[in-house]
Amino acid sequence: MHDVYIRNMEIADYDLVIDLWKSTEGIGLSEADSKENIRFFLERNHGFSLVALKGNKLVGAVLAGHDGRRGYLHHLAVRREHRKEGLGRRLADGCLEKLKLAGIDKCHIFVFRENSVGKEFWSKIGWLIRGDLHIMSKHI
Ligand SMILES: CC(C)(COP(=O)(O)OP(=O)(O)OC[C@H]1O[C@@H](n2cnc3c(N)ncnc32)[C@H](O)[C@@H]1OP(=O)(O)O)[C@@H](O)C(=O)NCCC(=O)NCCS
């Protein structure tokens, strides 16, 4: 049996990663997740995003990056049959370690209001829900 191991996400992982995200509830995909956009994201944020593999099977993934002042995680997903094994925590904390080493001391995530699994998970691993903020967005 293979242990799950975690390594940096590369653009070559895109097809497996997008399949995982597409089949995972609570992940909101858009044109921002095209291969070209993810390539751009990984280039601008080199070495922060992670994948979890068991043998050659992708079992988890997360995007991470920063804008110079705050960090952001996106699209954390663990394959259903590997949940509650500590992988979500390992992926999220792995990104935070990398962000911290890059001088970032606070990180934000976006969670759908109805994603109770996500909210329970993030709360359990120490994240606080911000009741004082709304997300506001605009197409440009
Ligand atoms: C959220 C998700 C990534 C968690 O992954 P996971 O590998 O199962 O999480 P972990 O095993 O690392 O769990 C870490 C802690 O959270 C708790 N937890 C995980 N899922 C939970 C749930 N559904 N309800 C309550 N607690 C939960 C675990 O019990 C664990 O706590 P413990 O250390 O006290 O035992 C996974 O459920 C998932 O992919 N969900 C769908 C996608 C999603 O919603 N992602 C978040 C987008 S913002």
Side-chain angles (χ1 to χ4, degrees), residues 59-105:
V59 295
V62 59
L63 286 178
H66 69 81
D67 57 18
R69 56 186 295 283
R70 295 302 189 210
Y72 298 88
L73 304 190
H74 306 277
H75 298 351
L76 173 66
V78 172
R79 205 172 282 287
R80 192 176 298 276
E81 58 272 27
H82 286 283
R83 291 189 189 164
K84 301 274 182 83
E85 295 175 3
L87 271 181
R89 185 198 293 269
R90 280 173 67 193
L91 287 165
D93 287 352
C95 293
L96 295 190
E97 268 174 43
K98 288 163 172 283
L99 289 166
K100 189 168 180 160
L101 283 172
I104 299 297
D105 62 8

Side-chain angles (χ1 to χ4, degrees), residues 1-2 8-9 12 29 34-35 42 87 99 128 130 139:
M1 280 299 274
H2 296 283
N8 288 348
M9 186 188 293
L29 295 175
S34 69
K35 189 167 186 177
L42 294 176
L87 271 181
L99 289 166
L128 296 178
R130 295 288 293 264
H139 279 288

